[in-house]
């Protein structure tokens, strides 16, 4: 009787995952998995195959038991043979007589004819097959179901980390000229091609452990000189950018300066120097401690500040070491690339020298992203560490979609360059329609409005033909502020916005924090933030904050009369009636102060399904509705809009969303409510076709997308949009709907409007 080993334990599984995660490169990791599994299951052969999706093949990467010579060389068709069958079906396969299976193929070079018992499981990540893990034994026998379960668990656990390696060639095998695509987060919109300029910030902060060079006094004066130099650089950079970006973006420099004189980055290193450490080592210790404090905070905005601390640390240590990271003064097409790119790195160059920015550890909330947006430089953030980079290598940055292409192949480069040309060509067409009405060929008029987050967006909206502001997300001003902004500070902001757009309407949404938009200085943790203390719920529970905001808005509208107030996340009628009561109080208080005021129009976001069901009860209290298609899709489909695992399923063209919108618009028409749509749908040309068909008259989107959508509307008939809508409503899948509309637009020679999406609306 054969000795069947007992099933591998959970502890062993944990050990494999831990060891594999410590691997230095892909080959190391794959060898580690194969070694562990081979030992745990005690079989003759354990092998791991990885999918080469470009070649449509499976490659044997590591084996124990087969001829080791073939590892790295044996390639199998992706859908043939036993391994191919597993890869294409994504199902495990267990056989006691492998050679009797119709798909069995014999590869003499592998020496595998001697093995009959076969168990293979696919390695799948987010629906894609990455590889296949195979066990084989000589005598015909069935593996146990415990072995199968173990293999399936190992594969599932390791899929994520294998993916990371397969996306990034490793030092052992890397040819630094190999084209590869690296995904990140959208930082600032635009597409560009340029040359890598690597800012090696992390090394400069952390790898410093200079021995004491002089007495503490000498070290202290070196440190103080470095602080003074950094301060000077910040002031210079501030001046250089003054005429190029808004005051709000420039405030970032003040934040940096404040940090530079903070206790953590000045007194603490001084103390350590007095205690005998070198200036460099004291600085690096304090920078790391301070960055870690930020990193440990729950709040994403504060966590993002760790980037700023580390960046300042780099600047200081550069100043200490007399290092200089800048390129020749006349370089162009520079793509600044590094673990951390700080605002002062950007400010070293004239904006026209910079083609793009790749910030490996950055977040979309970082000051780097903010500045890149302000300067119009495409940026991709949060790619994670990218290995094998070479100074000067060609790179394409796609800030619209959030990825970079390193060493793009001539073909891809051509495509990207065509896309850039197309973008420029489009831009010329866009400029031509900026002052034209958004009117279809058969005379249906749509009002196109801008979505605004920060004061920095005001001018862009006006320059790109916005007929008003459909959504001012007031929470962004709260998010970039160090504490709750005072009534006066808010008043100044709102006044500037209302005056800039006067007499066009401006819809300011009351604070919509919570969910994916937390406030740095008011942190709270929730199990399920998407369903928690969000929007109007938060405001009504924090009346002093709400009243301050309402008063500031109403005061700002004095004499302008173009303010409309919008309430987010409304799901109950009393949320509106309570707000109306507070509005009355605020109006009365201000009138008593002698201000002549008009009552602003009040509307609600329709983004929680409950608001649709209750629309008839809301109608008597409100003047308009604004459809938040992002949250409405999220809550209708029960899909978290920020969860990467389900993001491929998130689509506002899902049939359920479309049917809901059709009946919502019919209801709103009956109730004579003015309707705007201000979610991402308004920027998606395919969605806009359907919204036209539904008869929507107002759309609000990021300023970037305004001319594109206008051009689309001006080249369509509403009549044909209505027909496409009827056809789309008969389809049961968003992919079919997209296909239908894509071919319709291509037939009208409007396909070029589909290729580049702008930043989130
Ligand atoms: C929406 O939900 O569609 C919307 C416009 O609001 P936000 O994206 O700010 O949640
Ligand atoms: Mg919303």
């Amino acid at each position: 009787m054969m000795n069947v080993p007992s099933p591998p334990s959970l502890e062993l599984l944990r050990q494999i995952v831990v060891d594999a995660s410590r691997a230095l490169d892909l080959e190391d990791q794959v060898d580690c998995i194969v070694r562990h599994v081979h030992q745990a299951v005690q079989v003759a052969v354990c092998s791991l195959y990885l999918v080469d999706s470009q070649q449509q093949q499976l490659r044997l990467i590591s084996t124990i038991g087969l001829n080791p010579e073939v590892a790295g060389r044996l390639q199998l068709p992706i859908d043939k043979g036993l391994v191919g069958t597993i890869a294409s079906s994504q199902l495990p396969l267990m056989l006691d007589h492998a050679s009797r299976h119709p798909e069995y193929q014999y590869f003499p070079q592998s020496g595998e004819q001697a093995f009959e018992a076969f168990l293979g499981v696919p390695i799948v990540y987010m629906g894609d097959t990455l590889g296949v893990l195979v066990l084989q034994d000589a005598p015909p026998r069935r593996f146990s179901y415990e072995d199968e379960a173990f293999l399936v668990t190992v594969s599932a656990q390791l899929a994520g980390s294998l993916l990371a390696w397969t996306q990034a060639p490793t030092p052992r095998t890397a040819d630094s000229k190999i084209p590869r695509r690296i995904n990140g987060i959208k930082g600032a919109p635009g597409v560009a091609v340029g040359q890598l300029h690597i800012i090696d910030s992390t090394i400069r902060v952390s790898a410093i452990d200079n021995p004491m060079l002089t007495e503490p006094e000498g070290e202290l004066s070196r440190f103080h000189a470095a602080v003074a130099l950094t301060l000077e650089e910040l002031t210079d950079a501030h001046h250089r950018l003054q005429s190029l970006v808004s005051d709000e973006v420039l405030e970032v420099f003040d934040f940096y300066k404040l940090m530079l004189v903070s206790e953590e980055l000045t007194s603490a290193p001084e103390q350590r120097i007095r205690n005998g450490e070198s200036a460099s080592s004291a600085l690096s210790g304090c920078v790391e401690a301070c960055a870690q404090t930020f990193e440990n905070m729950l709040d994403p905005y504060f966590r993002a500040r760790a980037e700023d601390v580390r960046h300042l640390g780099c600047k200081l240590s550069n100043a200490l070491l007399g290092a200089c990271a800048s390129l020749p003064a006349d370089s162009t097409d520079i793509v600044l690339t590094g673990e951390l790119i700080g605002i002062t790195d950007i400010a070293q160059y004239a904006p026209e020298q910079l083609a793009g920015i790749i910030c490996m550890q950055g977040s979309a909330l970082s000051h780097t992203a903010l500045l890149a947006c302000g300067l119009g430089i495409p940026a991709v953030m949060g790619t994670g560490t990218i290995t094998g980079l070479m100074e000067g290598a060609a790179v394409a940055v796609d800030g619209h979609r959030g990825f970079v292409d390193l060493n793009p192949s001539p073909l891809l480069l051509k495509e990207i360059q065509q896309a850039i040309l197309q973008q420029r060509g489009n831009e010329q067409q866009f400029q031509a329609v900026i002052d034209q009405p958004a009117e279809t060929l058969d005379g249906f008029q749509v009002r196109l409005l801008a979505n605004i987050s920060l004061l920095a967006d005001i001018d862009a909206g006006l320059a790109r033909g916005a007929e008003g502001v459909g959504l001012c997300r007031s929470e962004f001003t709260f998010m970039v502020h160090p504490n709750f902004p005072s009534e006066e500070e808010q008043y100044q902001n709102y006044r500037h916005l209302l005056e800039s757009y006067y007499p066009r309407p401006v819809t300011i949404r009351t604070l919509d924090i919570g969910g994916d938009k937390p406030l740095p200085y008011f942190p709270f943790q929730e199990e399920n933030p998407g369903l928690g203390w969000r929007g109007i719920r938060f405001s009504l529970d924090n009346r002093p904050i709400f009243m301050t905001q309402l008063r500031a808005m109403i005061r700002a509208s004095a004499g302008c009369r173009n303010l409309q107030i919008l309430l987010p996340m409304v799901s109950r009628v009393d949320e509106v009636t309570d707000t109306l009561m507070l509005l009355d109080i605020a109006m009365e208080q201000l009138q008593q102060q002698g201000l002549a005021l008009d009552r602003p129009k009040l509307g609600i976001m329709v983004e929680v399904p409950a608001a649709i069901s209750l629309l008839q009860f809301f109608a008597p209290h409100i003047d308009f509705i604004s459809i938040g298609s992002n949250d409405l899709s999220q809550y209708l489909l029960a899909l978290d809009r920020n969860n990467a695992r389900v993001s491929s399923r998130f689509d506002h063209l899902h049939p359920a969303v479309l049917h809901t919108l059709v009946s919502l618009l019919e209801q709103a028409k009956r109730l004579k409510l003015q309707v705007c749509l201000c979610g991402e749908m308004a920027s998606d040309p395919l969605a806009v076709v359907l919204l036209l068909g539904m008869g929507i008259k107002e759309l609000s989107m990021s300023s970037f997308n305004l001319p594109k959508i206008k051009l689309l509307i001006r080249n369509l008939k509403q009549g044909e949009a209505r027909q496409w809508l009827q056809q789309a409503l008969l389809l049961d899948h968003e992919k079919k709907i997209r296909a239908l509309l894509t071919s319709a637009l291509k037939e009208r020679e409007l396909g070029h409007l589909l290729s580049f999406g702008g930043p989130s609306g």
Side-chain angles (χ1 to χ4, degrees):
M1 176 98 181
M2 198 173 50
N3 180 21
V4 179
S6 56
S9 67
L10 215 62
E11 174 51 32
L12 181 66
L13 184 68
R14 198 190 65 81
Q15 195 54 49
I16 298 178
V17 173
V18 169
D19 286 355
S21 69
R22 290 191 182 134
L24 297 175
D25 56 35
L26 176 63
E27 287 169 48
D28 228 21
Q29 188 173 60
V30 169
D31 290 347
C32 164
I33 298 168
V34 167
R35 201 173 50 248
H36 269 300
V37 173
H38 177 259
Q39 214 168 19
V41 189
Q42 294 177 24
V43 280
V45 178
C46 177
S47 315
L48 201 149
Y49 299 78
L50 286 183
V51 171
D52 179 341
S53 46
Q54 278 185 357
Q55 306 281 330
Q56 285 294 297
Q57 280 179 328
L58 280 153
R59 192 191 291 263
L60 174 67
I61 297 289
S62 178
T63 182
I64 295 183
L66 295 184
N67 177 1
E69 302 267 292
V70 295
R73 279 195 269 134
L74 182 65
Q75 292 182 15
L76 314 175
I78 206 157
D79 53 353
K80 299 231 160 40
L82 298 180
V83 180
T85 303
I86 296 165
S88 53
S89 67
Q90 298 194 334
L91 293 171
L93 184 63
M94 185 163 19
L95 302 167
D96 34 12
H97 283 97
S99 61
R100 292 186 194 163
H101 191 280
E103 278 295 337
Y104 178 78
Q105 284 184 354
Y106 171 50
F107 296 98
Q109 68 274 40
S110 70
E112 77 172 355
Q113 78 278 26
F115 305 109
E116 278 294 347
F118 179 98
L119 170 60
V121 300
I123 305 172
V124 178
Y125 187 77
M126 307 269 294
D128 291 329
T129 307
L130 302 181
V132 177
L133 190 54
V134 173
L135 300 181
Q136 289 170 286
D137 236 341
R141 73 160 172 109
R142 266 191 107 63
F143 283 95
S144 70
Y145 286 113
E146 283 85 359
D147 287 338
E148 182 181 336
F150 173 68
L151 224 55
V152 168
T153 315
V154 169
S155 305
Q157 295 266 2
L158 294 169
S161 59
L162 270 180
L163 176 82
W165 283 116
T166 50
Q167 283 191 340
T170 62
R172 226 202 280 180
T173 53
D175 169 351
S176 46
K177 294 249 169 73
I178 294 176
R180 51 184 163 135
R181 173 162 293 178
I182 291 148
N183 290 315
I185 309 165
K186 302 179 209 177
V191 182
V193 177
Q195 294 164 12
L196 285 177
H197 173 47
I198 301 163
I199 307 282
D200 193 3
S201 45
T202 42
I203 292 171
R204 277 177 278 146
V205 211
S206 58
I208 298 160
D209 194 15
N210 285 0
M212 180 85 83
L213 299 176
T214 56
E215 288 301 296
E217 284 317 309
E219 285 295 270
L220 271 177
S221 60
R222 277 182 70 224
F223 177 68
H224 289 145
V227 172
L229 188 67
T230 308
L231 206 55
E232 204 179 298
E233 276 183 19
L234 284 173
T235 312
D236 280 358
H238 186 285
H239 285 146
R240 261 200 307 280
L241 292 179
Q242 210 149 23
S243 59
L244 297 170
V245 293
S246 71
D247 289 351
E248 218 165 5
V249 174
L250 287 172
E251 272 176 22
V252 171
F253 286 91
D254 297 331
F255 179 82
Y256 267 47
K257 285 190 210 164
L258 271 180
M259 285 203 331
L260 197 57
V261 293
S262 69
E263 162 84 23
E264 288 81 1
L265 293 192
T266 51
S267 318
E270 281 170 1
Q271 194 51 50
R272 287 172 74 149
I273 295 170
R274 284 198 191 93
N275 291 344
E277 271 186 69
S278 71
S280 300
S281 141
L283 175 66
S284 118
C286 292
V287 165
E288 214 27 59
C290 180
Q292 296 264 321
T293 312
F294 277 105
E295 240 158 33
N296 290 339
M297 293 184 180
L298 291 175
D299 180 272
Y301 177 85
F302 270 149
R303 274 206 305 275
R305 299 288 71 79
E307 285 170 47
D308 291 323
V309 174
R310 292 212 171 89
H311 177 69
L312 260 189
C314 290
K315 289 251 110 201
L316 282 166
S317 53
N318 273 348
L320 267 177
L321 301 170
C324 172
S326 53
L327 276 182
D330 54 352
S331 311
T332 52
D333 291 338
I334 301 167
V335 176
L336 284 184
T337 305
E339 291 282 342
L340 296 165
I341 302 292
I343 53 169
T344 49
D345 291 321
I346 301 173
Q348 297 235 338
Y349 302 95
E352 45 296 356
Q353 288 180 279
L354 296 178
I357 293 167
I358 304 170
C359 190
M360 302 180 206
Q361 304 302 339
S363 72
L365 280 177
S366 71
H367 285 144
T368 305
L370 194 71
L371 183 60
C373 277
L375 292 172
I377 303 168
V380 172
M381 322 292 293
T383 54
T385 300
I386 309 173
T387 55
L389 292 180
M390 272 199 3
E391 178 77 15
V395 62
V397 181
D398 189 329
H400 293 307
R401 289 177 286 186
F403 58 74
V404 293
D405 282 298
L406 287 172
N407 308 306
S409 64
L411 194 68
L412 182 59
L413 207 53
K414 208 165 142 202
E415 266 174 35
I416 297 168
Q417 267 153 355
Q418 265 166 2
I420 293 172
L421 281 179
Q422 169 91 67
Q423 200 172 241
R424 286 193 198 132
N426 283 352
E427 201 48 49
Q428 277 170 5
Q429 285 190 15
F430 294 164
Q431 289 300 326
V433 296
I434 277 177
D435 296 324
Q436 306 291 318
E439 184 178 333
T440 60
L441 295 169
D442 51 359
F444 181 79
Q445 289 234 356
V446 184
R447 181 142 69 161
L448 297 190
L449 306 155
N451 283 0
I452 289 208
S453 301
L454 296 164
L455 291 184
D457 301 336
I458 290 181
D459 294 345
L462 290 168
R464 292 179 84 80
E467 295 174 73
V469 173
L471 171 65
C472 167
R473 290 179 164 104
S474 69
E475 57 277 6
F476 277 80
T477 307
F478 282 66
M479 283 162 81
V480 297
H481 215 262
N483 43 37
F484 280 109
S486 65
E487 182 180 318
E488 188 55 29
E489 284 166 316
Q490 291 186 56
Y491 163 80
Q492 296 291 351
N493 276 350
Y494 304 148
R495 182 78 193 169
H496 180 40
L497 174 61
L498 292 165
E499 277 180 347
S500 306
Y501 275 83
Y502 178 82
R504 288 163 275 209
V506 172
T507 303
I508 306 182
R509 186 171 70 183
T510 61
L511 196 56
D512 185 18
I513 61 139
D516 59 332
K517 291 174 282 197
L519 274 188
Y521 39 86
F522 199 91
F524 51 88
Q525 217 183 358
E526 293 181 305
E527 279 280 306
N528 214 335
L531 306 180
W533 213 26
R534 286 197 56 181
I536 191 68
R537 303 170 188 170
F538 176 90
S539 290
L540 285 169
D541 287 350
N542 292 281
R543 292 201 178 195
I545 297 168
F546 196 22
M547 276 300 276
T548 306
Q549 185 172 36
L550 291 176
R551 281 174 53 97
M553 285 182 186
I554 300 167
R555 264 179 67 204
S557 72
C560 285
R561 298 181 181 174
N562 56 347
L563 169 69
Q564 308 196 134
I565 297 181
L566 178 61
L567 308 179
M569 285 294 291
V570 171
S571 59
R572 313 163 53 91
V573 175
D574 59 14
E575 288 164 343
V576 175
T577 49
D578 286 356
T579 303
L580 281 168
M581 195 186 69
L582 295 178
L583 256 179
D584 284 342
I585 298 173
M587 292 281 296
E588 214 176 289
Q589 287 173 350
L590 292 168
Q591 274 157 350
Q592 275 169 11
Q593 289 172 15
L595 282 173
L597 296 165
D598 291 298
R599 198 192 173 96
K601 283 187 177 176
L602 183 75
I604 59 167
M605 292 285 294
V606 174
E607 52 186 349
V608 180
I612 303 177
S613 322
L614 295 185
L615 202 59
Q616 56 172 320
F617 301 116
F618 284 116
H621 307 288
I622 57 176
D623 304 294
F624 67 97
I625 62 169
S626 192
I627 304 172
S629 55
N630 309 337
D631 276 317
L632 187 58
S633 308
Q634 146 162 286
Y635 294 126
L636 273 177
L637 305 176
L639 278 175
D640 179 351
R641 60 195 256 199
N642 296 310
N643 181 342
R645 288 200 180 91
V646 292
S647 61
S648 62
R649 291 179 168 85
F650 188 97
D651 190 340
H652 46 229
L653 291 194
H654 187 290
V657 177
L658 296 184
H659 284 274
T660 304
L661 286 178
V662 169
S663 72
L664 167 62
L665 285 168
E666 281 166 3
Q667 224 194 129
K669 194 169 172 188
R670 268 199 312 278
L671 296 166
K672 298 194 170 41
L673 281 170
Q674 182 189 329
V675 182
C676 178
L677 185 142
C678 62
E680 194 84 1
M681 269 185 115
S683 301
D684 175 354
L686 301 184
V688 169
V689 172
L690 299 178
L691 292 167
L692 269 183
M694 292 178 207
I696 198 137
K697 293 202 177 108
E698 274 186 22
L699 294 171
S700 191
M701 66 206 77
S702 71
S703 307
F704 183 90
N705 286 314
L706 280 165
K708 175 180 79 177
I709 297 301
K710 188 182 284 184
L711 195 67
L712 173 77
I713 292 173
R714 289 178 58 81
N715 281 284
L716 291 176
K717 287 189 182 148
Q718 201 226 359
E720 59 189 355
R722 272 202 306 269
Q723 282 170 10
W724 289 325
L725 173 66
Q726 290 319 317
Q727 291 168 23
L729 290 174
L730 298 174
L731 300 174
D732 63 359
H733 200 290
E734 60 274 19
K735 284 212 172 96
K736 295 181 191 166
I737 297 171
R738 286 200 176 273
L740 167 82
L741 299 167
T742 303
S743 71
L745 289 192
K746 284 191 174 157
E747 261 173 43
R748 298 288 181 290
E749 300 198 344
L750 294 169
H752 60 290
L753 299 181
L754 301 176
S755 49
F756 281 99
S760 298

